[in-house]
Amino acid sequence: MLLPSKKDLKTALEVFAVFQWALSALLIVMTSIVVNLYLVVFTQYWLVTVLILTWLVFDWKTPERGGRRYACVRNWHLWKHYCDYFPLKLLKTHDISPNSNYILVCHPHGILAHTWFGHFSSEGSGFSRMFPGITPYTLTLGSLFWMPFLRDYIMATGACSVSESSIDFLLTHKGTGNMLIVVVGGLAECRYSLPGSSTLVLKNRSGFVRMALRHGVALIPTYAFGETDLYDQHIFTPGGFVNRFQKWFQSMVHIYPCAFYGRGFTKNSWGLLPHALPVTTIVGEPLQMPKIENPSQEIVSKYHALYIEALRKLFDQHKTKFGISETQELEII
């Protein structure tokens, strides 16, 4: 009987690591809903559900108060396999001092933001070795913390809410050496996540600049070369029925429903796993902001423009190393 080689086992572990990343969240949500409905409707143990909901109310503000991280979860060896699947590589252009706080601004979002999870919500790519003394806080949608158990799993990786009060807390109550990870394009950027694309939703996204000015912290432009190549996307005929539905859905819930696809469990199959393509993330030079407690829109616009200039410079300096034409530029919309 032929036994699988070490390479085959390694590949299988990498595929499993990426697969379970999305599946685990779905399983936690479905299990929580089904089990609690069963307890309430079919058993006499409805009090368990009441206790869970009571704890949820009591703990509601935790995602806006620094979260509840667990080093043991961030250090799971599974995340190393996750990063090796693509692989993900993290490079810094400048040392980051632990004596200050920072807002690291990530581009692009991609379809499922695989890069940003691998680098900053786990130690799979060795974040703490590369940035000693720095504590990363990945900021994400507050709605992800509404579901019992799922919220605890997400917070265990070091994630917090992206709300204004959460950012204020992290930059004023946690000392120094904190790095807030913000993917400013958000879900609105998914529709532009096509292989070879360098389109960013950033023109009207200036809240992160306002927060940086309010606290006088540096902004760090960061770009992941290859993130938009991880999935293909079917583009429907403009003005057609499906395209009109996509736009209507986006207008209702601010999420653009993309028809994306990638690979399956084997290399040349079709499925919803991302393509196993290398993604290299370049962390740029910190752009220091002056401390202005209540900056005017004019001042915010000024430093927003300076940030975009720094991001363009970072992109242009490194793009040809990753197969991007010298003439291709960032498209800011």
Side-chain angles (χ1 to χ4, degrees):
M1 183 175 65
L2 296 177
L3 296 176
S5 66
K6 289 185 178 180
K7 182 179 179 180
D8 291 335
L9 289 174
K10 170 66 173 170
T11 300
L13 282 171
E14 291 171 1
V15 171
F16 172 74
V18 175
F19 174 68
Q20 67 79 37
W21 174 74
L23 182 65
S24 59
L26 179 62
L27 287 177
I28 291 172
V29 171
M30 295 304 297
T31 301
S32 179
I33 293 174
V34 171
V35 169
N36 280 286
L37 281 176
Y38 177 78
L39 291 175
V40 171
V41 177
F42 298 105
T43 76
Q44 58 183 343
Y45 299 109
W46 55 268
L47 187 59
V48 173
T49 300
V50 173
L51 290 174
I52 291 173
L53 293 177
T54 301
W55 167 250
L56 181 63
V57 171
F58 176 79
D59 195 52
W60 189 257
K61 289 291 185 180
T62 299
E64 297 185 354
R65 297 294 182 269
R68 189 166 46 241
R69 71 174 56 221
Y70 290 99
C72 58
V73 175
R74 289 180 54 85
N75 285 294
W76 279 350
H77 193 64
L78 190 66
W79 304 135
K80 178 66 167 62
H81 294 303
Y82 175 98
C83 292
D84 289 344
Y85 169 88
F86 300 93
L88 303 180
K89 189 175 183 180
L90 184 63
L91 299 176
K92 65 178 180 179
T93 59
H94 294 76
D95 288 330
I96 306 297
S97 170
N99 297 321
S100 301
N101 290 324
Y102 308 89
I103 297 178
L104 186 141
V105 191
C106 306
H107 311 276
H109 181 280
I111 295 292
L112 294 178
H114 284 288
T115 298
W116 314 120
F117 174 83
H119 288 321
F120 305 117
S121 290
S122 81
E123 289 294 332
S125 62
F127 176 89
S128 293
R129 293 193 303 273
M130 185 169 293
F131 298 99
I134 300 294
T135 303
Y137 292 90
T138 304
L139 304 186
T140 187
L141 294 173
S143 57
L144 293 177
F145 302 100
W146 293 353
M147 180 63 64
F149 304 113
L150 176 63
R151 70 199 307 270
D152 298 286
Y153 180 51
I154 295 173
M155 283 194 289
T157 66
C160 293
S161 171
V162 74
S163 68
E164 185 175 322
S165 61
S166 175
I167 295 174
D168 282 335
F169 183 89
L170 291 170
L171 293 177
T172 56
H173 290 76
K174 286 289 186 176
T176 58
N178 301 303
M179 181 182 285
L180 280 55
I181 315 300
V182 182
V183 189
V184 296
L187 295 173
E189 214 165 68
C190 293
R191 64 182 298 184
Y192 306 104
S193 185
L194 299 165
S197 170
S198 56
T199 300
L200 304 179
V201 177
L202 183 58
K203 184 180 292 184
N204 297 316
R205 303 277 174 117
S206 59
F208 68 100
V209 178
R210 184 178 298 278
M211 297 304 293
L213 287 167
R214 180 186 296 178
H215 296 280
V217 301
L219 294 172
I220 306 179
T222 305
Y223 197 92
F225 291 92
E227 175 68 30
T228 58
D229 298 331
L230 298 182
Y231 288 98
D232 296 297
Q233 190 175 158
H234 182 76
I235 304 301
F236 294 96
T237 304
F241 174 77
V242 177
N243 181 250
R244 291 201 307 272
F245 169 78
Q246 289 175 309
K247 291 181 177 179
W248 171 81
F249 190 88
Q250 183 183 30
S251 69
M252 296 297 291
V253 299
H254 305 291
I255 297 175
Y256 189 83
C258 302
F260 68 90
Y261 58 94
R263 57 165 279 186
F265 291 109
T266 56
K267 187 174 182 180
N268 296 315
S269 60
W270 184 95
L272 295 179
L273 289 176
H275 295 298
L277 298 172
V279 182
T280 302
T281 300
I282 308 295
V283 179
E285 180 180 5
L287 179 64
Q288 187 60 50
M289 298 283 113
K291 187 172 183 177
I292 306 173
E293 189 169 344
N294 293 300
S296 65
Q297 185 56 48
E298 182 180 359
I299 292 176
V300 171
S301 297
K302 171 187 174 181
Y303 285 97
H304 184 258
L306 289 175
Y307 172 79
I308 290 178
E309 182 182 339
L311 178 62
R312 288 189 185 277
K313 180 179 178 182
L314 178 73
F315 179 81
D316 290 339
Q317 283 179 338
H318 298 277
K319 62 185 179 183
T320 56
K321 303 173 188 175
F322 305 102
I324 299 176
S325 168
E326 182 69 44
T327 59
Q328 183 172 337
E329 298 182 351
L330 281 180
E331 182 181 358
I332 308 295
I333 60 174

